[in-house]
Amino acid sequence: MFLFWLLWITIVVGGFYLGGGYALSFYRGENGAAAALNAVVYIGFAVYGLPRLVRLFRRS
Amino acid sequence: MEIYGVDVLSMTFRGVHALMAAAWLLFDFIVFWLHFKIKDSGAPLDERLERARVMHGIDTVVAYIFLLMLPSGIVLCWVTGTPIFTTGWLSWKHLLYGLIVVDALYLLPISGTALKNLKAMKAGATNVEELNTEIRAKMNQAMPAVWLVWALVFAASLISVLNLKVPKGQEFIFRKTETVSSTNH
């Protein structure tokens, strides 16, 4: 069970952190295509994982 | 903190991060090797069950490595002064990690099927043929994904190795030049 917590926390927190950071970096023009792709991928993970993490919180 | 010209904090994080990648590559290979006997319905049940237990244990360790790789990498960036969002090669490495996350989410429901089915057989389940078919199908479904993870981890490691730099003012990779010179005289 601990592994599930770690999985969804990493995906959601890491997703928002990296996705947000890369989105900002792309917006500022500091990084190119890789930043844009990372922003989409990691924010996607965070959005995908958020309801699962919330469900884990509710169950506990 | 510096001992004998070695920046201990930086070296520890670099070492742990590199060892995690090396362990990941090795464990993925062991999982691949173990799966042949596990899906072989002609092999003795006890042997298959033992291998499935070992595989499940290794899978758990790999899952921890996979999940701790991201925070350990972020800490490593902080320790070594590498900008996370503006370093080109790191962006591509993060993209590869993103693909590994997709792969892991694909493998998540498959993981543990063999062990569960083999335990059921040991307990005397009557639908042995059906359980064996499921094990074989799930294993065959998982292995290309396991190899994809292996290739992605290898590519990410290669990107890191090709972008390794000797720290500023150092002639030696691990130790400061002044310390090496003073101990040689």
Side-chain angles (χ1 to χ4, degrees):
Chain A
M1 200 59 193
F2 173 72
L3 200 57
F4 270 97
W5 277 98
L6 193 65
L7 171 75
W8 294 117
I9 287 173
T10 306
I11 285 181
V12 173
V13 176
F16 278 127
Y17 175 66
L18 285 180
Y22 273 116
L24 208 61
S25 168
F26 182 70
Y27 175 73
R28 286 176 182 158
E30 296 166 338
N31 211 334
L37 283 169
N38 274 318
V40 171
V41 167
Y42 281 98
I43 290 174
F45 288 151
V47 171
Y48 175 79
L50 193 60
R52 283 150 183 87
L53 187 60
V54 170
R55 215 177 299 150
L56 269 181
F57 266 111
R58 280 190 182 154
R59 269 192 217 155
S60 62
Chain B
M1 193 178 139
E2 197 179 295
I3 299 172
Y4 194 53
V6 177
D7 183 344
V8 176
L9 188 71
S10 163
M11 279 304 151
T12 303
F13 277 102
R14 281 173 196 263
V16 167
H17 198 69
L19 277 176
M20 282 164 77
W24 196 347
L25 289 171
L26 178 70
F27 289 159
D28 260 2
F29 191 77
I30 294 174
V31 164
F32 177 70
W33 175 70
L34 282 171
H35 101 281
F36 290 112
K37 205 71 156 190
I38 293 171
K39 72 176 181 181
D40 179 9
S41 54
L45 181 60
D46 284 334
E47 191 184 341
R48 294 172 72 199
L49 190 57
E50 190 54 36
R51 281 179 184 238
R53 284 204 179 101
V54 173
M55 183 196 255
H56 194 66
I58 291 175
D59 269 346
T60 308
V61 175
V62 168
Y64 278 112
I65 290 176
F66 154 63
L67 292 172
L68 294 175
M69 207 62 159
L70 188 63
S72 85
I74 290 169
V75 172
L76 186 59
C77 284
W78 176 68
V79 168
T80 57
T82 310
I84 298 178
F85 304 113
T86 51
T87 307
W89 62 268
L90 195 56
S91 308
W92 291 108
K93 220 181 129 177
H94 282 153
L95 202 59
L96 294 184
Y97 187 82
L99 294 176
I100 294 173
V101 174
V102 175
D103 216 330
L105 292 175
Y106 169 78
L107 285 169
L108 196 65
I110 301 171
S111 170
T113 307
L115 185 60
K116 185 187 72 185
N117 287 10
L118 289 167
K119 275 182 178 170
M121 283 186 224
K122 181 79 178 168
T126 50
N127 55 340
V128 174
E129 192 56 44
E130 189 188 325
L131 293 172
N132 271 327
T133 307
E134 192 187 19
I135 291 173
R136 210 167 21 252
K138 294 284 182 185
M139 289 274 161
N140 291 341
Q141 188 188 341
M143 284 310 132
V146 169
W147 273 110
L148 181 60
V149 170
W150 195 92
L152 290 167
V153 174
F154 184 79
S157 306
L158 201 61
I159 289 175
S160 294
V161 169
L162 291 176
N163 285 284
L164 272 180
K165 283 180 189 162
V166 176
K168 269 179 194 162
Q170 280 187 217
E171 190 184 345
F172 299 89
I173 293 177
F174 298 115
R175 291 193 289 161
K176 288 194 175 159
T177 309
E178 313 90 68
T179 314
V180 178
S181 306
S182 66
T183 51
N184 285 345
H185 292 298

